[in-house]
Amino acid sequence: MSGGALQQIPPDVANLADFEPHARERMSTEAFAYLNGGAADELTLRVNRAAWDAIRLWPRVLRDLSGGHTRIELLGRRWPVPVALAPIAYQQLAHPEGELASALAAAAQGVGLVLSAQSSVAMDVVARAMASEAERGPLWFQLYWRDDPGFMRELLGRVEAAGYEALVLTVDAPVHGARDRERRAGFKLPPQIRAVNLGGLKRPVELQLGQSLLFDGLMPRAATWAQVDWLREHSRLPLLLKGVAHPDDAREAQRRDVAGLVVSNHGGRTLDTLPPTAALLPRLREAVGPELPLLVDGGIRRGTDVLKALALGADAVLLGRPYVHALATAGAHGVAYALRLLRDEFEIAMALSGCRSCDEIGPHLLWQSQE
């Protein structure tokens, strides 16, 4: 899958969580803190995982599952499996091939990819790697709003020309969260790693005496609903919003004809003490009804998590930190191995729950305590 020598998977890796200690050994202390850290006391970071663990499955048995599969149809294309790689910035911090290795692995395993605007590998290079596989998953591009319409138009043109199939606007991080672990580690982006697809410098913030850098300098440049409308008007690609947590915002997005939502608390990296995404997901599904596509991220580690997410109302999931742990451990081979593990676990969970296809997964598979 990659041009370098095939890197070996450590023999003690049996699931996605097993990659983390190997990644810690291979990454610098500062880079690992950047990748793994959350905001403030990291309560949301921890509860994301705990919430999936707390959900109990209630399977059906003795069902005919011959011809079963994991395929779904979403936004006009077939997904081999309802999983995509979440946008994670600067993946060359984990491995020299960075996002290219992740893309090669995702394509080989039929998993989708959402490329971060802050990718350390050029978007067209990543797109070509995905396009080489006929049975690949979807290819989307994540972006942050930059208060420069000319730059945004140029960026959208490059995204479309490279072959990306949808835009994913991150809406829950107009500023960085207070990431204590990252600051204690003294993380600074190495000079050889940068967001190669963005280029140029943002206009400097000019403040008057007594003004707030945050509220007077940064927030006037942040995206609002007007920028959501602008993106829909200036790109032919479907637009999804990532980081929606409140039902009222979900309904507003639906009124503005977005193509879908990613239910997310940014992996616990922005505002601490948010509810886990497993708790947010059914609230948002109830708010928007059955038709609007919903994806979810945050704490996904097991095939049973994928099944639980679909049972709670998601159409697909985004996998985050674990695939970068696998990337740091063994490059493209590591990511492909991790994704194969997740796909196999998901198929096992479906079979043991009595589901022949993803459209048979629903809330009836979730145990509701009578206590």
Side-chain angles (χ1 to χ4, degrees):
M1 283 179 301
S2 102
L6 191 66
Q7 293 175 268
Q8 297 301 309
I9 305 300
D12 62 343
V13 170
N15 59 60
L16 270 63
D18 289 340
F19 282 103
E20 183 171 346
H22 295 284
R24 185 187 295 271
E25 292 177 359
R26 287 162 172 77
M27 295 177 67
S28 72
T29 300
E30 297 81 6
F32 191 81
Y34 169 78
L35 170 67
N36 261 44
D41 297 310
E42 301 188 344
L43 300 174
T44 296
L45 174 62
R46 291 193 294 273
V47 77
N48 268 348
R49 176 66 232 148
W52 296 115
D53 285 340
I55 297 171
R56 297 290 176 259
L57 292 172
W58 201 13
R60 301 294 303 276
V61 298
L62 299 175
R63 299 167 68 87
D64 180 7
L65 304 182
S66 57
H69 61 83
T70 62
R71 297 186 298 274
I72 65 167
E73 297 286 334
L74 189 63
L75 294 185
R77 80 178 330 271
R78 189 176 78 171
W79 296 38
V81 62
V83 176
L85 300 186
I88 295 180
Y90 306 121
Q91 291 182 29
Q92 286 183 339
L93 289 168
H95 189 275
E97 293 182 339
E99 292 82 359
L100 174 59
S102 296
L104 289 167
Q109 292 298 326
V111 169
L113 172 68
V114 187
L115 183 70
S116 170
Q118 296 174 317
S119 169
S120 50
V121 175
M123 68 171 78
D124 56 330
V125 173
V126 173
R128 286 196 296 271
M130 286 289 288
S132 64
E133 289 285 345
E135 293 298 314
R136 66 172 176 85
L139 176 62
W140 297 353
F141 188 87
Q142 176 270 342
L143 68 158
Y144 293 96
W145 178 257
R146 183 180 286 190
D147 189 24
D148 183 340
F151 171 82
M152 293 300 296
R153 280 190 290 267
E154 186 268 340
L155 176 64
L156 295 177
R158 286 191 284 131
V159 169
E160 291 185 23
Y164 289 82
E165 301 159 354
L167 300 172
V168 181
L169 176 67
T170 294
V171 298
D172 63 346
V175 296
H176 285 298
R179 301 175 190 166
D180 293 355
R181 194 195 314 193
E182 180 181 319
R183 291 186 297 191
R184 290 190 188 106
F187 173 78
K188 292 183 179 179
L189 196 64
Q192 74 276 15
I193 297 176
R194 60 188 181 89
V196 297
N197 297 300
L198 297 182
L201 297 175
K202 298 180 181 178
R203 290 184 291 110
V205 175
E206 298 179 0
L207 298 175
Q208 302 299 318
L209 183 64
Q211 286 188 309
S212 162
L213 174 62
L214 180 63
F215 289 111
D216 298 306
L218 299 179
M219 294 311 295
R221 302 182 180 190
T224 68
W225 290 110
Q227 281 69 51
V228 172
D229 295 338
W230 189 94
L231 287 169
R232 289 195 61 252
E233 293 169 3
H234 287 83
S235 176
R236 295 172 293 180
L237 299 180
L239 175 66
L240 297 90
L241 304 185
K242 181 179 183 293
V244 176
H246 199 286
D248 289 347
D249 289 331
R251 284 187 283 263
E252 180 65 23
Q254 189 174 34
R255 283 192 290 269
R256 292 171 184 267
D257 292 326
V258 301
L261 304 175
V262 180
V263 182
S264 177
N265 51 35
H266 215 93
R269 289 171 64 79
T270 52
L271 180 63
D272 199 18
T273 73
L274 265 70
T277 50
L280 294 171
L281 175 58
R283 298 281 189 99
L284 268 64
R285 175 53 75 196
E286 181 181 10
V288 300
E291 299 303 322
L292 186 69
L294 293 184
L295 294 87
V296 67
D297 66 10
I300 301 292
R301 299 290 184 275
R302 288 281 192 178
T304 47
D305 300 337
V306 181
L307 188 142
K308 291 171 185 178
L310 269 58
L312 289 170
D315 295 282
V317 306
L318 298 184
L319 181 68
R321 291 177 177 92
Y323 84 84
V324 185
H325 295 156
L327 175 66
T329 300
H333 187 206
V335 179
Y337 191 82
L339 297 178
R340 186 70 255 177
L341 286 173
L342 188 65
R343 287 194 65 172
D344 289 347
E345 288 187 3
F346 180 49
E347 289 188 359
I348 292 169
M350 286 179 63
L352 293 177
S353 297
C355 297
R356 190 190 330 224
S357 62
C358 291
D359 58 10
E360 294 184 356
I361 300 171
H364 63 282
L365 294 178
L366 304 179
W367 172 251
Q368 303 293 330
S369 175
Q370 301 299 311
E371 297 178 0

